[in-house]
Amino acid sequence: MVRKEIKEQRVKGYFIQAAKEILKGEGLVCVSTRNVADRAGYSYATLYNYFKDIKDLVFECAKEFIDEVRDFVKNETVGLTAGIERIQVKLKAYLNYFIQYPGIFELFFLERVSSMGNNQKTVELIYTFLDKLCADDWNYCIEHGIVRADQLEFVSDHIRFISAGLLLFYINRRHPQEYGEFISLAQARIKEILDRYTISREDNPR
Amino acid sequence: MVRKEIKEQRVKGYFIQAAKEILKGEGLVCVSTRNVADRAGYSYATLYNYFKDIKDLVFECAKEFIDEVRDFVKNETVGLTAGIERIQVKLKAYLNYFIQYPGIFELFFLERVSSMGNNQKTVELIYTFLDKLCADDWNYCIEHGIVRADQLEFVSDHIRFISAGLLLFYINRRHPQEYGEFISLAQARIKEILDRYTISREDNPR
DNA sequence: TTAAATATATTAACATTGGTAATAATATGA
DNA sequence: TCATATTATTACCAATGTTAATATATTTAA
């Protein structure tokens, strides 16, 4: 019966919505069965009719947040054409999203892998997400001789590590203390990496 | 009375020792009042006569682990003289320590800042630790014109961010999957950064 | 040395978690 | 309408952090 599945998806959605709201507002630590169920308008035990356990629910949220980050970044880059400059804008938006919702940074990068059970696919999705986000731009850069194809992996990995490191210290350790300082620091650092691994237009033979 | 304080320190030490063992072996998640007290040979409530709460105990451990990492790194660099090569060796040892004891990485970098209460000094100690570890070497490099003084902060920060990012993805996300791959990746990346910000001996005017 | 005072440790209890099983309520189909 | 299947809830359990009351050592003073 299809009607049954529609209903099931609907109720699942209520729980996911509630958990997402808590994650965004109060962070992972506040996502408890009681808390989520209260907000969804159900008893906490009902949650177990729709999710294996609380981690299962949290990872359903993660999946949806991936789309949300993508949309957020897309929204910040409307009208821009592919290339190094757009990578910088995308990265800024990417960092800003996690600063706005530290709970989601926590969920994406800090949550213990042990607690993810069989959600390895979601973990992989998160890991490769930044690369996919900038894939068009990297392709453009390679096609136009702005980045050497054999250096692509190194530079994109480098940016991934730096971004995670920056966010980790800013969100989790308050270094630097001010947002303005963080963002200018981050941008300078990203610019430096991109400069290092790109061939400027003047030098570009084509 | 001094005797009283000696005894107090002694019992405190038993709890800290027990907690450290659990942290090293099973990680932060297993450090519970009951678990620690059992291992220390006391009731769980006794713990509260010596520590404000469980986080207080955990941060006492953190302080001791800082010394432990320092010793570990020192031990791996006996006989080496100050300079870029020693920084590389120190960084390798630093990374290896956290890979050997992921629970301590978790404690140092992943534990929520909110749960640290008034231990801001310890947080600061952890944050500046890597710089202090390499301070002699950086000084040597500046004095010998190997590193430009005005670039020191940038490069040492860069290394901090990259190290944290590398460890985060390896320990918490299993990327890359193999230790061998991780260490060669990490070393290549650190070497690249150091090369970029150092003036090679041949180029060195002195 | 022994009784009072102090310090230390333990038990009992509470609240909050995640999670399960039995039960109640509701919807579905003949 | 009534039996059946589905869905939600209550009542529980075990583990956690934490506190208060109580028991047990230890020290101090007579």
Side-chain angles (χ1 to χ4, degrees):
Chain A
M1 195 107 292
V2 183
R3 253 184 296 175
K4 190 188 151 185
E5 291 198 2
I6 290 172
K7 278 170 139 184
E8 190 175 320
Q9 275 312 115
R10 198 133 55 196
V11 178
K12 258 187 119 159
Y14 300 148
F15 282 108
I16 292 174
Q17 189 54 36
K20 279 174 74 180
E21 283 167 25
I22 296 167
L23 269 167
K24 276 186 163 183
E26 294 124 83
L28 199 53
V29 91
C30 293
V31 179
S32 69
T33 50
R34 269 88 168 169
N35 212 352
V36 171
D38 271 2
R39 193 181 279 250
Y42 287 92
S43 159
Y44 57 88
T46 307
L47 197 147
Y48 290 93
N49 294 334
Y50 295 91
F51 302 92
K52 202 182 124 282
D53 53 35
I54 187 87
K55 285 155 198 162
D56 188 22
L57 165 59
V58 164
F59 271 83
E60 290 292 321
C61 294
K63 277 188 222 165
E64 297 204 0
F65 281 130
I66 293 178
D67 295 332
E68 210 181 278
V69 186
R70 188 181 296 112
D71 291 347
F72 182 86
V73 171
K74 192 174 239 171
N75 207 49
E76 297 286 310
T77 53
V78 281
L80 298 182
T81 52
I84 287 292
E85 292 79 14
R86 200 170 73 176
I87 289 178
Q88 282 183 268
V89 177
K90 280 181 177 176
L91 278 167
K92 190 181 173 187
Y94 177 85
L95 296 175
N96 274 328
Y97 181 86
F98 290 117
I99 284 168
Q100 192 170 353
Y101 304 114
I104 300 174
F105 173 73
E106 202 184 342
L107 171 59
F108 276 17
F109 300 103
L110 270 37
E111 178 67 347
R112 320 283 166 269
V113 89
S114 66
S115 75
M116 303 192 195
N118 39 19
N119 286 83
Q120 191 56 41
K121 221 174 65 191
T122 306
V123 174
E124 203 59 32
L125 226 65
I126 293 168
Y127 184 76
T128 58
F129 175 62
L130 186 54
D131 287 342
K132 281 183 196 149
L133 207 62
C134 300
D136 285 353
D137 302 286
W138 289 124
N139 284 337
Y140 173 91
C141 288
I142 287 173
E143 278 164 21
H144 290 72
I146 298 166
V147 170
R148 278 173 49 189
D150 63 330
Q151 293 192 331
L152 174 61
E153 196 186 334
F154 193 90
V155 64
S156 61
D157 278 358
H158 206 94
I159 285 174
R160 192 208 335 278
F161 293 136
I162 281 286
S163 302
L166 280 161
L167 284 170
L168 183 66
F169 285 117
Y170 179 62
I171 292 177
N172 234 31
R173 290 294 177 269
R174 310 218 180 289
H175 267 278
Q177 295 219 330
E178 297 299 322
Y179 168 74
E181 208 184 329
F182 168 80
I183 208 74
S184 69
L185 202 123
Q187 289 208 286
R189 223 159 270 279
I190 287 163
K191 188 176 181 331
E192 201 273 343
I193 296 166
L194 290 174
D195 283 351
R196 170 117 174 90
Y197 287 96
T198 53
I199 297 111
S200 68
R201 276 190 180 66
E202 306 90 67
D203 303 345
N204 195 330
R206 66 187 339 270
Chain B
M1 195 106 293
V2 184
R3 252 185 298 175
K4 192 188 147 184
E5 293 198 1
I6 291 173
K7 279 170 139 183
E8 191 176 318
Q9 275 312 116
R10 197 133 56 194
V11 179
K12 258 188 117 159
Y14 300 148
F15 281 108
I16 292 173
Q17 189 54 37
K20 279 173 74 180
E21 284 168 22
I22 296 167
L23 268 167
K24 277 186 163 181
E26 293 125 81
L28 198 53
V29 90
C30 293
V31 179
S32 69
T33 50
R34 268 89 168 170
N35 210 352
V36 171
D38 271 2
R39 192 181 280 248
Y42 287 92
S43 160
Y44 54 87
T46 308
L47 196 147
Y48 291 92
N49 293 335
Y50 296 91
F51 302 91
K52 200 182 125 283
D53 52 35
I54 187 86
K55 285 155 198 164
D56 188 23
L57 166 58
V58 164
F59 272 82
E60 289 293 321
C61 295
K63 276 188 223 166
E64 298 205 0
F65 281 130
I66 293 178
D67 296 332
E68 211 181 278
V69 186
R70 187 183 295 111
D71 291 348
F72 182 86
V73 171
K74 193 174 238 170
N75 208 47
E76 296 286 309
T77 54
V78 281
L80 299 181
T81 52
I84 288 292
E85 291 80 13
R86 200 170 73 177
I87 290 179
Q88 281 183 268
V89 177
K90 280 182 178 177
L91 278 169
K92 189 181 173 187
Y94 177 84
L95 296 175
N96 273 328
Y97 181 86
F98 291 117
I99 284 167
Q100 192 170 354
Y101 304 114
I104 299 172
F105 172 73
E106 201 184 342
L107 172 58
F108 277 17
F109 300 104
L110 271 36
E111 177 66 347
R112 321 282 167 268
V113 89
S114 66
S115 74
M116 303 189 193
N118 40 18
N119 285 82
Q120 191 56 41
K121 221 175 66 193
T122 307
V123 174
E124 202 60 33
L125 227 63
I126 292 168
Y127 184 76
T128 58
F129 175 62
L130 186 54
D131 288 340
K132 281 182 197 147
L133 206 64
C134 300
D136 285 353
D137 301 285
W138 289 125
N139 284 336
Y140 174 91
C141 288
I142 287 172
E143 279 164 21
H144 289 72
I146 299 167
V147 170
R148 277 172 50 188
D150 64 329
Q151 292 191 332
L152 175 61
E153 197 187 332
F154 193 89
V155 65
S156 61
D157 278 358
H158 206 94
I159 286 174
R160 194 211 328 282
F161 294 136
I162 281 286
S163 303
L166 280 161
L167 284 170
L168 183 66
F169 285 117
Y170 179 62
I171 292 177
N172 235 31
R173 292 293 178 270
R174 309 218 180 289
H175 266 278
Q177 294 220 329
E178 296 300 322
Y179 167 75
E181 206 183 332
F182 167 81
I183 208 72
S184 69
L185 201 123
Q187 290 207 287
R189 222 158 271 278
I190 287 163
K191 189 177 182 327
E192 201 275 343
I193 297 166
L194 290 173
D195 283 351
R196 169 121 175 89
Y197 287 96
T198 55
I199 297 109
S200 69
R201 275 187 182 68
E202 306 90 67
D203 303 343
N204 197 330
R206 54 177 2 262

